[in-house]
Amino acid sequence: MNHVNTVLGPRAPSELGRALVHEHVLIGYPGWFMDARMPPFVRAEALDRAVDAFQQLRAYGVQTVVDPCPMDLGRDVTFNAEVSQRSGVALISTTGAYFEAEGIPFMFRHFEMQEIADIYQKEIEDGIGGSGIRPGLLKIATGDGVVSDYERKLLTAAAKVAKITGVPLLSHTQNCTCGHEQIDIVTGEGNEAHRLLVGHSCGRDDHPYQKSLAERGAYVGFDRFGITIFNSDESRMKNLKQMIDAGFRDSLLVSHDKVNCWMGGIPGIGSPDAVKDIVPNWRMTQLFETIFPALVEMGVDQSDLDHIVSENVRRFFAGDSKPH
Ligand SMILES: [Zn+2]
């Protein structure tokens, strides 16, 4: 692919620079507005907060961030465009919908696969909701352990559109399951596996699973550093080093899955204010502040970490084939 759509227009993959592949500017779970106990969403305040967070990231040389918010979790590309403009960090948004249990399946449940493909393709070609802002990635998502019929329909639609448009795919997985099923569906529509980043593959201490994804040629997302309620960062670092030691450096992409602004609350947790106590190190600078230095202490070369946050990102978007 010779260009990537950012919220401020096309860029060459070689211009992306240092990048994080999975951070959220803004999230609102389906029905977020139904809980009157939660703090009201004040857009201007949220914008200021997001701009501040992305400016802090720039201090670590990060030039580009992928915001993989699916269309049914409050995706707001004009919000992202303002954050990008004010912070100086390029943002890449996505088209695609979330997994059945946590998204808004009502509409797409009634559509044929081809209708959903047409919608994704229209967003890529014409922009999102009249904004003219085009997504740079297709988001796919599966639930825990089983790909539902609904999810299979959406994944197939996204894979077809990836093949037609050359836009790569990024996924959500639950509990390190269904990564292989995602690869099957993506390659089944004629795409090479390296067009897919299998997200959240660091959710469990499971080197064999992570390695098996890379062996098939997919990118493997170690993209939840700081979310220590699912897995410890120590476990993630151990597994990341195992991948590098096993020769899979070029298959790795890293991030935090940070949510910078919430609309409403978080089911099961409550107010967004509670998050700070539960995951105190969940911030977009954590990789550079503590994780990378700790990995270097463990014997990983800094040059390999720099390679992962820059060259691997460039290669993923460019669609270059990989050694595995
Ligand atoms: Zn996410």
Side-chain angles (χ1 to χ4, degrees):
M1 217 188 168
N2 54 15
H3 75 271
V4 184
N5 289 320
T6 78
V7 294
L8 299 183
R11 287 223 177 152
S14 59
E15 293 172 336
L16 298 176
R18 280 163 81 84
L20 297 176
V21 294
H22 196 131
E23 311 291 350
H24 294 278
V25 180
L26 177 69
I27 288 275
Y29 277 111
W32 64 269
F33 43 81
M34 296 165 78
D35 188 348
R37 301 165 303 173
M38 290 300 130
F41 177 67
V42 183
R43 190 180 171 90
E45 281 173 14
L47 271 169
D48 287 347
R49 204 161 54 244
V51 169
D52 186 51
F54 280 89
Q55 279 174 340
Q56 287 179 36
L57 203 48
R58 267 189 78 191
Y60 289 93
V62 174
Q63 293 159 264
T64 304
V65 172
V66 172
D67 175 1
C69 186
M71 44 175 68
D72 41 355
L73 291 194
R75 184 188 62 175
D76 186 338
V77 292
T78 57
F79 190 97
N80 282 12
E82 187 164 344
V83 171
S84 184
Q85 213 143 31
R86 285 170 54 187
S87 69
V89 175
L91 286 167
I92 299 168
S93 289
T94 66
T95 185
Y98 212 32
F99 67 105
E100 187 165 8
E102 295 190 14
I104 307 180
F106 175 74
M107 190 68 73
F108 281 0
R109 197 178 279 146
H110 293 279
F111 291 167
E112 301 290 337
M113 187 278 293
Q114 189 55 50
E115 294 181 273
I116 297 164
D118 290 346
I119 290 164
Y120 292 171
Q121 189 173 346
K122 183 168 171 52
E123 287 205 332
I124 290 168
E125 291 175 353
D126 299 343
I128 295 166
S131 66
I133 295 169
R134 297 173 181 195
L137 276 165
L138 286 142
K139 173 79 177 263
I140 58 174
T142 50
D144 195 357
V146 179
V147 182
S148 72
D149 290 346
Y150 169 83
E151 289 157 0
R152 184 171 297 277
K153 179 168 68 175
L154 269 58
L155 263 65
T156 305
K160 277 192 189 299
V161 174
K163 179 66 181 167
I164 294 167
T165 61
V167 169
L169 302 117
L170 172 153
S171 81
H172 170 98
T173 57
Q174 284 285 97
N175 301 322
C176 289
T177 62
C178 300
H180 284 289
E181 287 83 348
Q182 293 184 348
I183 297 173
D184 290 342
I185 294 169
V186 166
T187 57
E189 296 302 322
N191 301 284
E192 291 187 75
H194 65 79
R195 300 319 327 269
L196 170 65
L197 160 57
V198 182
H200 310 335
S201 300
C202 58
R204 201 171 57 207
D205 180 3
D206 195 346
H207 176 62
Y209 171 75
Q210 293 152 356
K211 184 163 167 275
S212 69
L213 298 172
E215 279 170 342
R216 293 187 66 186
Y219 283 90
V220 183
F222 279 68
D223 51 11
R224 280 186 155 174
F225 279 100
I227 307 187
T228 46
I229 46 170
F230 302 134
N231 191 10
S232 69
D233 282 347
E234 287 70 27
S235 162
R236 292 189 177 99
M237 287 191 285
K238 182 189 78 176
N239 288 161
L240 189 86
K241 183 175 186 306
Q242 282 176 303
M243 288 294 281
I244 294 171
D245 291 346
F248 292 103
R249 177 198 68 173
D250 290 353
S251 305
L252 302 171
L253 290 166
V254 292
S255 216
H256 311 83
D257 199 9
K258 171 69 179 172
V259 178
N260 285 285
C261 305
W262 294 95
M263 295 189 289
I266 308 154
I269 291 179
S271 165
D273 291 338
V275 173
K276 281 193 279 303
D277 299 327
I278 299 168
V279 280
N281 294 325
W282 192 32
R283 56 184 175 275
M284 292 193 292
T285 52
Q286 168 77 347
L287 275 167
F288 310 105
E289 287 171 9
T290 65
I291 302 296
F292 283 3
L295 283 163
V296 170
E297 286 270 297
M298 290 163 63
V300 175
D301 279 352
Q302 180 67 46
S303 63
D304 285 335
L305 300 171
D306 292 335
H307 189 95
I308 289 167
V309 293
S310 54
E311 172 58 15
N312 285 6
V313 178
R314 184 205 64 74
R315 192 184 336 99
F316 171 60
F317 278 102
D320 296 354
S321 60
K322 297 195 304 107
H324 302 292

